[in-house]
């Protein structure tokens, strides 16, 4: 199950992403936004992050205009490793080295062809583990 979230700036590309991943055979859960009406990315980022942390969805794809706002919000959650990507190589590295669980896309700066490539790589690339595992274990803030 793939979770999706965006604000109004990412809405149109999120709808494209939704159709694309369904066409690829993935189930998805759309956490919003549901139109291009002005909205706050935080309202959709937090439910996506919580769904990943609880195991209700396996991976996520999140979008806003630059990717920064929604990415910052997602990464406030201890169990989230959201990575902003703008090309296929970044999408692959963020899975192999960082075990990212949310692909963050800057909707105003990428095209649909590159979006498809990033999604394909993100959803099929495994985490390498090894030396990267110890780094992943150090990410959560210990209270």
């Amino acid at each position: 199950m793939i979770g999706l979230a965006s604000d109004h700036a990412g809405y149109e590309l999120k709808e494209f992403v939704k159709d694309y991943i369904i066409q690829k055979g993935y189930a998805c859960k759309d956490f919003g936004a549901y139109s291009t009406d002005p909205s706050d990315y935080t309202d959709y980022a937090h439910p996506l992050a919580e769904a990943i942390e609880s195991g209700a969805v396996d991976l996520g794809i999140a979008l806003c205009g630059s990717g920064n706002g929604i990415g910052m919000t997602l990464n406030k959650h201890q169990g989230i490793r959201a990575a902003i990507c703008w090309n296929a190589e970044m999408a692959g590295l963020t899975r192999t080295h960082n075990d990212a669980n949310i692909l963050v896309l800057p909707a105003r700066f990428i095209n649909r062809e590159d979006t498809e490539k990033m999604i394909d790589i993100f959803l099929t690339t495994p985490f390498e583990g090894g030396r990267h595992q110890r780094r992943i274990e150090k990410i959560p803030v210990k209270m």
Side-chain angles (χ1 to χ4, degrees):
M1 175 74 70
I2 309 301
L4 302 174
S6 74
D7 66 357
H8 60 283
Y11 170 76
E12 289 180 4
L13 189 58
K14 178 183 62 76
E15 293 300 300
F16 171 79
V17 167
K18 185 188 326 182
D19 291 343
Y20 183 73
I21 63 174
I22 289 170
Q23 182 182 73
K24 290 287 207 173
Y26 294 95
C28 73
K29 168 113 174 91
D30 186 347
F31 291 91
Y34 304 109
S35 75
T36 57
D37 294 339
S39 62
D40 300 330
Y41 50 78
T42 51
D43 295 340
Y44 314 109
H46 290 302
L48 171 59
E50 291 163 0
I52 289 177
E53 289 176 317
S54 74
V57 299
D58 302 302
L59 294 170
I61 301 172
L63 308 90
C64 72
S66 69
N68 286 306
I70 202 162
M72 289 176 189
T73 303
L74 291 161
N75 280 319
K76 294 294 181 185
H77 292 259
Q78 290 296 301
I80 299 302
R81 292 174 306 283
I84 301 172
C85 296
W86 53 90
N87 64 42
E89 183 178 12
M90 292 290 295
L93 287 171
T94 198
R95 288 290 300 139
T96 59
H97 290 189
N98 309 116
D99 198 20
N101 50 19
I102 301 178
L103 172 64
V104 179
L105 300 174
R108 291 184 175 145
F109 298 94
I110 58 175
N111 61 45
R112 289 180 174 193
E113 180 182 341
D114 289 338
T115 298
E116 289 176 349
K117 289 177 188 174
M118 287 186 279
I119 290 169
D120 289 344
I121 289 171
F122 185 81
L123 295 179
T124 61
T125 301
F127 176 51
E128 282 182 6
R131 72 183 192 276
H132 304 293
Q133 182 61 44
R134 78 170 180 273
R135 296 171 186 154
I136 299 305
E137 292 169 0
K138 293 178 181 180
I139 291 174
V141 176
K142 307 285 191 239
M143 296 291 181

